Amino acid sequence: MSFEEDDSVILHDEHSDYDGEEGTIKQVMETMFGDETYTVSFEEGQETGVPEDNLEAAE
């Protein structure tokens, strides 16, 4: 499942300060390998270069 800008997602990354938090997709970028990575905005900051596998759609 790919995400689009303004989608609400939950980040799953134990190395991130935002692990388990809900955020909003602010930018979708394509890597040179054709994969998509995302910039996710949270109340207190943002995380860039997030792979799709680390995101879950928020309800």
Side-chain angles (χ1 to χ4, degrees):
M1 169 181 196
S2 64
F3 299 98
E4 297 180 8
E5 287 185 27
D6 298 323
D7 284 355
S8 292
V9 294
I10 297 172
L11 177 66
H12 296 288
D13 181 355
E14 63 186 40
H15 302 292
S16 171
D17 293 338
Y18 306 108
D19 184 38
E21 291 190 26
E22 184 174 330
T24 305
I25 301 287
K26 290 299 174 190
Q27 185 177 19
V28 179
M29 298 155 287
E30 190 171 310
T31 68
M32 63 183 177
F33 302 109
D35 300 323
E36 291 181 337
T37 61
Y38 303 89
T39 298
V40 184
S41 178
F42 301 93
E43 283 186 26
E44 309 214 354
Q46 70 179 16
E47 191 81 32
T48 59
V50 179
E52 186 176 318
D53 292 347
N54 288 23
L55 299 174
E56 171 190 350
E59 294 183 16

